[in-house]
Amino acid sequence: MRAILSFVAAVVVMISISEASAAEYEITNRSALVFAEHDGTKLVGDLYLPKGRAKAPVLVAVHGGGWQIGNRQFYRYWGLFLARAGYAVFAIDYRLGKPGSYPAAVYDTKAAVQFIRAKAAEFDLDPDRIGLIGDSAGAHLAALVALAGDQYASAYRDDADAAVPANVKCMVGFYGVYDMYAQWTRDLAARPNDKIVEKFLGVSPMQNRRIYFDASPISYATMDHNQIHFLLIHGTDDDIVDPETQSEAFLSALAQAGFFVRRIVIPGAGHFWSSDPFEGDPHSYSAQTIPRLMRFLESSL
């Protein structure tokens, strides 16, 4: 019986993948577009466009990697898949690796949203249908910009698009970090020699607890932001970002504040899988998210 159910589930996923790409848009790829220059660093992104779709909705994609590693190529597979399905994807790089680099990466992510809105007519995108998608640390940055982008306005006022609104309609997060203090506590047990949150923020919570609050998306899960839709995705076996204190806690906070929020839980999934290839493999973790992910995008963008 279990084998039959697994087969049926695989067939459903394969059908969903086929339906998602039924429009079969051709793809136009604009590589290494410079969307901002911050402190001497040129920030670039790859834009995957559904050729022939007028005013396409667009997702700004923010890669994970503990705020220390990673690049825009993490979203190559999602960029190709979603562009064929009619959704543009702008996969970005942001500044990495320096201790105490917060809030630089937040400003970089916000600038990408502003750039896409400012250039919407040039790329035939819909400036009123912009979302964010991210994984792990990228989900943290995406959620923070979605909920608190207006809080990050004191720097880079000379950016060409600094006056452009950075509001978005939705956010999709794979196994994200939404409570920085909870993740710091997790790091003590899981990776005591590489406290990723403390590195990113530059201080421990014993030195500055306020920065942990300010840098946490969960702090902004309030009713005045509840027009934004959220989809939270995680596995049951994540040993790096704890589902209970991150996605589950964030889900509860969003729901209490009246947000439209949905969750996908993948049995057996750990961390670091959203950037893997998935088309042609209905058993992959990413492929399992596709039916509900596409329904979420259809209703939210």
Side-chain angles (χ1 to χ4, degrees):
M1 184 66 179
R2 183 173 297 174
I4 293 173
L5 290 174
S6 297
F7 173 77
V8 171
V11 170
V12 168
V13 170
M14 291 180 69
I15 291 172
S16 298
I17 291 176
S18 298
E19 289 178 346
S21 56
E24 287 297 333
Y25 288 96
E26 294 182 17
I27 301 167
T28 300
N29 188 7
R30 301 287 299 271
S31 299
L33 293 171
V34 177
F35 63 86
E37 184 171 341
H38 289 167
D39 301 323
T41 299
K42 288 186 177 180
L43 303 166
V44 300
D46 294 340
L47 182 60
Y48 301 85
L49 291 163
K51 187 177 180 180
R53 180 168 189 185
K55 298 194 73 174
V58 56
L59 289 163
V60 175
V62 193
H63 69 81
W67 306 281
Q68 300 177 64
I69 61 171
N71 60 65
R72 62 191 187 276
Q73 285 294 310
F74 280 25
Y75 276 88
R76 178 175 182 271
Y77 299 112
W78 279 113
L80 294 170
F81 173 78
L82 289 169
R84 280 196 296 272
Y87 295 89
V89 174
F90 187 47
I92 67 166
D93 286 342
Y94 54 89
R95 286 171 291 175
L96 295 167
K98 295 180 180 178
S101 57
Y102 170 85
V106 186
Y107 277 102
D108 297 350
T109 303
K110 178 182 177 180
V113 176
Q114 293 171 310
F115 171 84
I116 283 296
R117 177 164 281 115
K119 302 297 183 183
E122 178 180 337
F123 298 122
D124 206 1
L125 303 172
D126 190 336
D128 296 322
R129 290 195 292 167
I130 299 174
L132 282 153
I133 184 170
D135 62 289
S136 195
H140 162 263
L141 295 172
L144 196 56
V145 169
L147 290 170
D150 57 347
Q151 301 294 311
Y152 296 85
S154 60
Y156 310 109
R157 293 181 177 178
D158 293 332
D159 278 3
D161 304 319
V164 177
N167 56 293
V168 298
K169 289 182 68 71
C170 70
M171 184 266 168
V172 177
F174 293 92
Y175 39 80
V177 177
Y178 307 112
D179 184 327
M180 299 296 264
Y181 178 75
Q183 184 61 37
W184 180 85
T185 303
R186 178 77 168 184
D187 290 346
L188 290 180
R191 50 200 308 159
N193 296 321
D194 184 19
K195 300 173 186 175
I196 55 174
V197 169
E198 188 170 325
K199 281 185 179 180
F200 179 56
L201 298 182
V203 293
S204 74
M206 285 76 73
Q207 296 169 291
N208 184 348
R209 190 171 292 267
R210 179 72 193 188
I211 196 172
Y212 281 75
F213 178 89
D214 290 344
S216 294
I218 198 170
S219 302
Y220 306 94
T222 52
M223 294 176 67
D224 54 324
H225 298 119
N226 68 12
Q227 70 280 6
I228 306 167
H229 291 195
F230 280 83
L231 176 63
L232 308 180
I233 305 168
H234 65 84
T236 57
D237 296 355
D238 194 330
D239 61 350
I240 294 177
V241 175
D242 177 48
E244 182 178 355
T245 57
Q246 296 297 336
S247 291
E248 291 183 25
F250 192 40
L251 175 81
S252 295
L254 291 168
Q256 288 168 0
F259 284 77
F260 178 94
V261 56
R262 298 291 184 267
R263 179 171 60 152
I264 300 174
V265 180
I266 307 297
H271 208 71
F272 298 125
W273 48 263
S274 69
S275 59
D276 294 339
F278 57 87
E279 291 193 78
D281 182 5
H283 297 290
S284 68
Y285 296 137
S286 289
Q288 292 178 49
T289 71
I290 286 173
R292 292 180 61 188
L293 171 60
M294 298 309 295
R295 288 197 297 271
F296 173 81
L297 292 178
E298 289 166 9
S299 65
S300 301
L301 273 183

